[in-house]
Amino acid sequence: MKTWGTFLLLLCLQAFTCVVIGQSQTCPAENANKCDDSEWEGEFFPGINKIKYEGPSSKNPLSFKWYNAEEEILGKKMKDWFRFSVAFWHTFRGTGADPFGAPTKHWPWEDGTNSVKMAKRRMRANFEFINKLGIDLWCFHDRDIAPDGESLEEANANLDEVVALAKELQTQ
C-alpha cells in the first residue's frame, strides 16, 4: 500500500495533468504588454469537482481510494491524523523546472507578469485547489505570495494587499 503522502501527491499530479496539458498561458510573458487587463473568469480547475472518498474499488482517477477524511481511527477522524497542506511555492509559483531543464507546467491563468493582480489570481487558484482537495491547511515561505516592489513601502503594500485577500479566502 502506498503511503498517504505519496497517494495525495499522485492525486494532485493527476489533477494538474488534467488541467495543464494542452493548455497554454492566456498571456505569455513575451506578449505581456499586449494582454488585456480583464480578470480571470470562471474556475481555475474546470471540470474537476471536489475530490471525494470513493473507496478502493473506484475507477475514478480523481477520487480518494484509501483516505476517508471522516473515518474514525482510534478515536480520531482520519483528517485529524493526516493534516495535509498545500505548499504555495511548489504548487503555484514553481514551474516544474529543474537545474537541467526548462519549465514543465504552464498554468492557463498566468499572464507572465509579477504583478499584484497576478498574485491575487494565483491566490484564488490556490484556494479553489485547496477546497477541491478538501484540505484545511496551506503554507508559503518568504515573499512568494506577493511581488516585491520598487521600494520597501511598495513591497509591504503589495504583501498587505495579497494577505488581505488570503485572509478573506480563508474565512470562506
Side-chain angles (χ1 to χ4, degrees):
M1 181 187 322
K2 296 177 181 155
T3 65
W4 293 113
T6 303
F7 179 75
L8 184 61
L9 176 63
L10 291 173
L11 178 65
C12 292
L13 290 174
Q14 288 173 345
F16 288 155
T17 302
C18 293
V19 174
V20 175
I21 291 181
Q23 294 185 9
S24 61
Q25 294 174 315
T26 56
C27 185
E30 62 269 12
N31 295 327
N33 60 348
K34 299 176 188 169
C35 298
D36 70 30
D37 201 32
S38 62
E39 185 54 55
W40 179 266
E41 294 181 22
E43 291 184 79
F44 293 94
F45 300 94
I48 298 176
N49 297 319
K50 186 169 177 111
I51 309 300
K52 297 178 184 171
Y53 171 76
E54 294 181 11
S57 60
S58 174
K59 301 293 183 212
N60 179 358
L62 293 178
S63 69
F64 291 112
K65 311 267 187 300
W66 305 102
Y67 174 70
N68 181 356
E70 298 302 316
E71 181 179 347
E72 281 200 23
I73 300 170
L74 299 174
K76 279 172 70 172
K77 290 184 178 183
M78 199 178 280
K79 69 181 178 182
D80 296 323
W81 287 108
F82 299 105
R83 298 187 62 196
F84 299 113
S85 173
V86 170
F88 187 81
W89 172 259
H90 300 289
T91 309
F92 291 98
R93 292 300 309 232
T95 62
D98 66 23
F100 307 105
T104 59
K105 66 180 180 183
H106 300 282
W107 297 115
W109 58 80
E110 285 288 331
D111 68 4
T113 68
N114 191 26
S115 64
V116 172
K117 179 179 149 191
M118 188 65 247
K120 290 169 128 182
R121 189 180 298 167
R122 284 186 199 109
M123 191 58 64
R124 287 185 188 94
N126 175 55
F127 276 93
E128 180 181 318
F129 183 74
I130 288 168
N131 289 331
K132 288 186 175 189
L133 281 177
I135 293 176
D136 295 326
L137 304 171
W138 69 289
C139 61
F140 66 96
H141 65 277
D142 299 334
R143 292 288 314 258
D144 58 344
I145 64 171
D148 292 330
E150 298 290 323
S151 66
L152 179 59
E153 291 78 21
E154 184 180 355
N156 288 340
N158 291 347
L159 184 59
D160 289 345
E161 192 171 338
V162 177
V163 166
L165 175 63
K167 286 174 75 172
E168 176 187 325
L169 295 170
Q170 278 181 190
T171 61
Q172 297 173 6

